[in-house]
Amino acid sequence: GAGVSQSPSNKVTEKGKDVELRCDPISGHTALYWYRQSLGQGLEFLIYFQGNSAPDKSGLPSDRFSAERTGGSVSTLTIQRTQQEDSAVYLCASSLPVLETQYFGPGTRLLVL
Amino acid sequence: QQQVKQSPQSLIVQKGGISIINCAYENTAFDYFPWYQQFPGKGPALLIAIRPDVSEKKEGRFTISFNKSAKQFSLHIMDSQPGDSATYFCAAGNSGNTPLVFGKGTRLSVIA
């Protein structure tokens, strides 16, 4: 079946611009996660959605970052007023209820000039 | 408290050799320890995972060893192959759907 998809695959933007990154999770997966992977670093947790519960936003680095998940499926991560330090690969993952295995998408490579 | 420390940062192993990657965690509440494999341009994919009720889990050439008292776990890749060349991440989490805490990764190169 189809895996987690993310778009765009690459995004180049200018400092100060807003960007939106999209994630389509695997059908039926109620949990959805956003992580950030910077060069030479591990995966940094950003935000987590579980069903209809309030999202866990504890990993968002600043108020310029926000995310929403519509209809329990597609999610959009928005970065406002992008900064050069926001350049990274943004990864989305989803998982089935209760089970821990997280399935990752290919990521969106964001470059802020 | 939430850190997972991974070593080495990079590793070069001869084909047929054993690759060993180590991780240490601090939070004793963690009860799920997966390893992810990532190829360039791809997202991480689950390789193998262990829970603290066992000290070892083996799947094919991949083995996780777990030491609860030392709060350490390691990945062993037996008979390493060039196709195993990738970045490996250890992680830790809690049962159920919770975000994982990842190590910084180990870049493995298996040379012929």
Side-chain angles (χ1 to χ4, degrees):
Chain A
V4 176
S5 61
Q6 292 186 244
S7 61
S9 55
N10 293 282
K11 177 71 176 179
V12 181
T13 190
E14 294 179 346
K15 177 182 174 180
K17 300 282 190 181
D18 297 351
V19 295
E20 287 189 349
L21 312 180
R22 176 186 169 106
C23 172
D24 283 87
I26 295 172
S27 178
H29 283 197
T30 58
L32 187 148
Y33 315 80
W34 283 97
Y35 294 91
R36 178 169 69 176
Q37 184 174 24
S38 301
L39 189 63
Q41 301 295 313
L43 282 71
E44 173 192 13
F45 163 68
L46 297 176
I47 189 170
Y48 157 58
F49 297 88
Q50 171 60 291
N52 295 321
S53 302
D56 177 352
K57 304 179 182 180
S58 61
L60 294 178
S62 78
D63 59 6
R64 296 186 295 105
F65 289 73
S66 63
E68 62 179 21
R69 189 178 185 189
T70 54
S73 180
V74 172
S75 177
T76 302
L77 176 69
T78 301
I79 309 174
Q80 295 179 312
R81 305 180 303 281
T82 52
Q83 303 296 311
Q84 289 182 332
E85 60 262 29
D86 298 335
S87 296
V89 176
Y90 290 82
L91 289 160
C92 174
S94 69
S95 63
L96 283 165
V98 180
L99 300 180
E100 295 87 355
T101 302
Q102 297 183 19
Y103 296 85
F104 283 83
T108 293
R109 284 151 191 79
L110 175 66
L111 177 60
V112 181
L113 300 177
Chain B
Q1 188 76 359
Q2 292 294 320
Q3 279 188 322
V4 175
K5 295 182 180 180
Q6 183 172 347
S7 63
Q9 187 175 359
S10 63
L11 181 62
I12 300 175
V13 173
Q14 292 278 349
K15 178 182 176 182
I18 302 174
S19 303
I20 302 174
I21 305 171
N22 300 297
C23 282
Y25 63 97
E26 299 174 355
N27 188 344
T28 56
F30 289 144
D31 61 0
Y32 173 66
F33 303 91
W35 284 89
Y36 279 80
Q37 180 187 55
Q38 185 179 31
F39 293 104
K42 306 290 186 181
L46 179 68
L47 189 62
I48 186 173
I50 197 169
R51 296 188 181 281
D53 54 342
V54 295
S55 60
E56 186 175 282
K57 183 175 181 179
K58 183 176 180 179
E59 290 185 0
R61 297 185 293 108
F62 301 91
T63 300
I64 299 180
S65 296
F66 184 80
N67 185 328
K68 188 175 182 178
S69 61
K71 293 187 287 186
Q72 296 176 345
F73 59 110
S74 60
L75 175 69
H76 295 233
I77 306 174
M78 311 300 288
D79 186 27
S80 299
Q81 300 296 312
D84 298 330
S85 297
T87 300
Y88 293 81
F89 293 95
C90 63
N94 299 106
S95 295
N97 300 131
T98 62
L100 296 171
V101 179
F102 283 85
K104 291 190 176 183
T106 296
R107 188 168 184 173
L108 172 65
S109 297
V110 181
I111 55 176

